[in-house]
Amino acid sequence: DTPLDIQKIRQDFPVLDQEVNGRPLVYFDNAATNQKPLPVIHALTRYYEGYNANIHRGIHHLAELATAAFEASRRAIQEFLNAKYWQEIIFTYGTTDGINLVAQSYGRRFLTEGDEIIISTMEHHSNIVPWQMLCEEKGCVLKVIPVDDNGELLLDEYEKLLSERTKLVACVHVSNSLGTINPVKTIIDKAHAVGALVLIDGAQASSHLDLDVQALDADFYVLSAHKLYGPTGMGVLYGKKEILDSMPPYRGGGEMIKEVTFAKTTYNDLPYKFEAGTPNIADVVAVKTALEYMANLGKENIATHEHDLLQYATEQLTTLDGLRIIGQAKEKIGVISFVMDGIHHQDIGVILDQQGIAVRTGHHCTMPLMQRFGIAGTTRASFAVYNTRDEVDRLIMGLRRVQKMML
Ligand code: PMP
């Protein structure tokens, strides 16, 4: 049982307090983006009402306040990930942006024809396409770790793919479609044994698991703020300092330079070398508040509560005839994907929406994973700290109604 007072927590999320199609909203699309608590919303308005200014360059009072808040967020993220140096925290626009940065900077500089990149079957498109683009340009080869019927990676097969040709392994920490928690420490250790670097996509892990990039020994770790109760359009790339130092800039422009002449430009130090242009200042500032909000609740308490919902929902869903859960890994976060005999996922989504229940339907940006399971898509319910067992009951009733209408 959780020590959290969920009804009290719900009051921190004004968006939850509304009716959709005449019914109280049930928001089960948290894996796509979770909702923002009042302290985060207030951090945004406080910034714009009180000290909006461009950072680093100004010497006036507001610029100093904005710069201090911006850099305080970097330290907060450093602590959140347990990174060794603050210079290892690069602000990006999100997970997608972070992966593209690594592919375009590290990949283009250091990978050559015949080098191999390993990803997994359960990657989000954002951890597939940037590597495909790189392979096309450089003549590298993409290899894919298969998954079993439960939605777990086949580690024996992974080992067979590894060789001295492997230069990079890019793998998701937690699957957004299946909820599977991958054994990333093992994946990293095995890659390092052949001299390959590892990028971990932490988009789904960040609000559910304790993160420690040093304990994992991850070379790169990427995440999006909007999946951890923070704003959209802001993310983080963590990279080991010596690796980031060796990489060329990704984008050119202001802020990322030391000196510019028409003859030659020298680049700024980390992390600014990778932060060209005016960043997303307000959202970076507000992310610190999101981390504090989660820390106050206790990440372990959040995980316990979500796990209870996962268990309860899994039990309840299996009472429905013709419903099959896709992804039954032993280690899962609160994400349940399922298909129903004779009913298209889109119809399920529409009929649930008519009852005020928000779920995700489709391929969840993991089309190859859907192909692996021989399906076009799933219906996905994903939980956050503010969800309740009563809401799970609403989902089950909603699905019974779907069956009544469609079968
Ligand atoms: N990877 C995973 C596992 C995700 O769930 C997502 C978001 N659905 C992404 C990457 C991409 O994140 P973003 O759209 O914030 O860049």
Side-chain angles (χ1 to χ4, degrees):
D1 252 18
T2 172
L4 298 176
D5 182 345
I6 303 299
Q7 289 311 321
K8 189 155 166 283
I9 289 170
R10 288 179 70 84
Q11 290 168 13
D12 292 336
F13 293 84
V15 74
L16 297 175
D17 184 24
Q18 63 175 300
E19 293 200 343
V20 171
N21 295 321
R23 303 293 313 279
L25 167 68
V26 173
Y27 187 77
F28 278 164
D29 195 16
N30 294 289
T33 196
N34 54 25
Q35 299 299 345
K36 317 308 167 199
L38 280 172
V40 170
I41 298 167
H42 289 159
L44 289 169
T45 50
R46 254 202 321 274
Y47 169 78
Y48 283 119
E49 286 176 3
Y51 57 100
N52 169 55
N54 213 328
I55 51 165
H56 295 141
R57 286 164 287 231
I59 50 159
H60 57 80
H61 181 64
L62 296 191
E64 274 173 15
L65 290 180
T67 303
F70 186 83
E71 291 302 327
S73 263
R74 200 185 307 272
R75 305 290 176 140
I77 295 273
Q78 179 196 355
E79 195 180 319
F80 181 71
L81 293 175
N82 192 32
K84 195 163 175 190
Y85 305 106
W86 63 270
Q87 291 94 336
E88 297 178 318
I89 306 301
I90 314 288
F91 290 131
T92 66
Y93 298 110
T95 302
T96 306
D97 191 36
I99 297 170
N100 277 279
L101 193 165
V102 175
Q104 292 298 310
S105 167
Y106 185 88
R108 288 174 92 183
R109 170 65 60 92
F110 295 110
L111 268 59
T112 55
E113 193 172 344
D115 284 347
E116 294 180 2
I117 300 167
I118 299 179
I119 60 173
S120 88
T121 305
M122 66 174 86
E123 298 311 312
H124 188 279
H125 295 162
S126 65
N127 204 22
I128 302 174
V129 184
W131 306 116
Q132 287 177 322
M133 289 161 64
L134 181 67
C135 286
E136 200 170 315
E137 180 182 331
K138 306 286 289 191
C140 304
V141 181
L142 199 63
K143 303 257 164 158
V144 184
I145 311 168
V147 301
D148 67 13
D149 290 341
N150 288 328
E152 293 183 349
L153 293 179
L154 289 164
L155 291 180
D156 292 349
E157 298 300 318
Y158 170 52
E159 278 195 62
K160 286 185 211 156
L161 296 178
L162 286 164
S163 75
E164 73 283 357
R165 288 187 303 276
T166 313
K167 289 296 172 318
L168 212 130
V169 176
C171 187
V172 72
H173 197 161
V174 172
S175 161
N176 62 307
S177 300
L178 308 175
T180 310
I181 303 172
N182 286 318
V184 284
K185 175 68 181 147
T186 306
I187 289 166
I188 290 168
D189 288 347
K190 287 187 192 302
H192 285 170
V194 299
L197 297 190
V198 184
L199 176 145
I200 301 294
D201 169 357
Q204 291 295 332
S206 59
S207 74
H208 307 282
L209 307 180
D210 263 334
L211 303 180
D212 185 336
V213 289
Q214 289 188 77
L216 286 178
D217 201 19
D219 300 295
F220 300 107
Y221 198 98
V222 288
L223 54 85
S224 298
H226 72 94
K227 311 248 191 209
L228 45 80
Y229 307 102
T232 53
M234 186 272 162
V236 173
L237 163 67
Y238 159 83
K240 282 182 186 160
K241 195 161 164 285
E242 63 275 16
I243 301 172
L244 291 174
D245 260 331
S246 75
M247 289 161 51
Y250 171 42
R251 298 190 182 98
E255 192 72 10
M256 53 73 74
I257 50 87
K258 269 207 175 102
E259 192 177 341
V260 177
T261 68
F262 284 122
K264 183 175 170 53
T265 287
T266 51
Y267 302 127
N268 207 339
D269 297 325
L270 289 176
Y272 310 112
K273 180 171 82 172
F274 292 109
E275 294 180 354
T278 300
N280 199 348
I281 304 167
D283 296 310
V284 167
V285 168
V287 130
K288 180 164 179 282
T289 312
L291 298 183
E292 286 161 1
Y293 185 83
M294 278 199 295
N296 281 340
L297 297 181
K299 241 177 153 183
E300 215 167 287
N301 295 332
I302 298 174
T304 305
H305 175 61
E306 290 170 352
H307 198 74
D308 174 68
L309 292 176
L310 173 69
Q311 257 179 337
Y312 181 64
T314 305
E315 275 165 31
Q316 295 300 311
L317 283 170
T318 42
T319 65
L320 292 165
D321 287 338
L323 184 144
R324 183 161 59 98
I325 293 174
I326 306 292
Q328 310 228 41
K330 282 187 283 301
E331 299 284 334
K332 272 184 76 166
I333 61 152
V335 166
I336 307 189
S337 259
F338 56 88
V339 292
M340 294 173 89
D341 282 349
I343 312 175
H344 194 272
H345 51 75
Q346 214 158 335
D347 292 325
I348 300 173
V350 168
I351 299 171
L352 289 178
D353 181 57
Q354 286 166 0
Q355 303 170 70
I357 303 166
V359 293
R360 190 73 153 196
T361 62
H363 53 65
H364 318 295
C365 295
T366 54
M367 285 172 93
L369 182 66
M370 298 296 117
Q371 288 150 18
R372 156 64 181 83
F373 281 96
I375 52 181
T378 73
T379 302
R380 181 187 70 186
S382 51
F383 307 127
V385 66
Y386 39 70
N387 289 126
T388 66
R389 282 185 173 222
D390 286 346
E391 291 181 311
V392 173
D393 292 337
R394 286 266 314 275
L395 173 68
I396 303 301
M397 281 187 313
L399 290 171
R400 288 194 197 286
R401 194 178 159 82
V402 170
Q403 286 182 322
K404 217 184 269 166
M405 286 173 72
M406 299 299 297
L407 294 179

